[in-house]
């Protein structure tokens, strides 16, 4: 039969077009920002998205110190971690985490990690995320393009 052949194009590591993007996190809500960042890391905004392949972009977040929580989450939200010892459950809030040197980085990584797939793919996608508290970053050599995260759904 002489018909057009419609084949599903599946991306792989070699054919994936990975870009570098910079996102300014000033006055962005943490959950909304991180859900869009997770989609960028995953590659869901690309037409050749493939679920089992890392075809997303490398994301650089600047001005991470200026992210905000809505409502009373800054003081009432509780992050739980476990030391591994009996009675070793530790609790902290975003307000206390912000006072630590790497606190804002932990807040954003925790939120993005929860929105990525669990397993080896999700762990490797987290390696494509770079978070900086100020406006300076060390990835100028990659020529990242600045995007407005508010334009994404």
């Amino acid at each position: 039969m002489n018909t057009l052949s419609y084949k599903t194009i599946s991306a792989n590591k070699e054919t994936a077009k990975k870009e570098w993007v910079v996102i300014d996190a000033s006055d962005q809500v943490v959950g909304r920002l991180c859900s869009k960042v997770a989609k960028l890391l995953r590659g869901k905004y690309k037409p050749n998205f493939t679920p089992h392949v890392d075809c997303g972009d490398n994301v650089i977040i600047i001005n991470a110190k200026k992210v905000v929580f809505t409502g009373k989450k800054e003081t009432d939200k509780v992050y739980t971690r476990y030391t591994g010892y009996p009675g070793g459950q530790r609790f902290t809030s975003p307000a206390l985490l912000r006072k630590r040197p790497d606190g804002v980085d932990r807040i954003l990584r925790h939120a993005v990690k929860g929105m990525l797939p669990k397993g080896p793919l999700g762990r490797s996608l987290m390696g494509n995320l770079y978070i900086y508290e100020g406006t300076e970053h060390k990835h100028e050599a990659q020529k990242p393009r600045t995007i407005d995260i508010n334009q994404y759904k």
Side-chain angles (χ1 to χ4, degrees), residues 40-93:
L40 281 169
L41 287 171
R42 190 88 199 276
K44 285 210 164 188
Y45 291 117
K46 295 186 175 186
N48 63 344
F49 168 69
T50 308
H52 63 280
V53 177
D54 175 12
C55 55
D57 296 332
N58 294 300
V59 179
I60 304 164
I61 300 176
I62 58 173
N63 292 324
K65 193 176 274 191
K66 299 179 182 174
V67 294
V68 296
F69 283 94
T70 57
K72 295 193 279 183
K73 292 189 196 88
E74 187 78 32
T75 55
D76 293 355
K77 184 176 175 69
V78 175
Y79 291 112
T80 307
R81 63 186 179 86
Y82 180 58
T83 63
Y85 289 94
Q89 204 171 20
R90 304 288 186 253
F91 305 99
T92 186
S93 69

Side-chain angles (χ1 to χ4, degrees), residues 3 11-12 26-29 34 46 59 63 67-68 72 92-93 103 111-112 117 122 128-129 148:
T3 61
N12 59 22
S26 298
D27 301 322
Q28 295 286 330
V29 178
C34 290
K46 295 186 175 186
V59 179
N63 292 324
V67 294
V68 296
K72 295 193 279 183
T92 186
S93 69
V112 171
N128 298 334
L129 178 63
D148 182 17

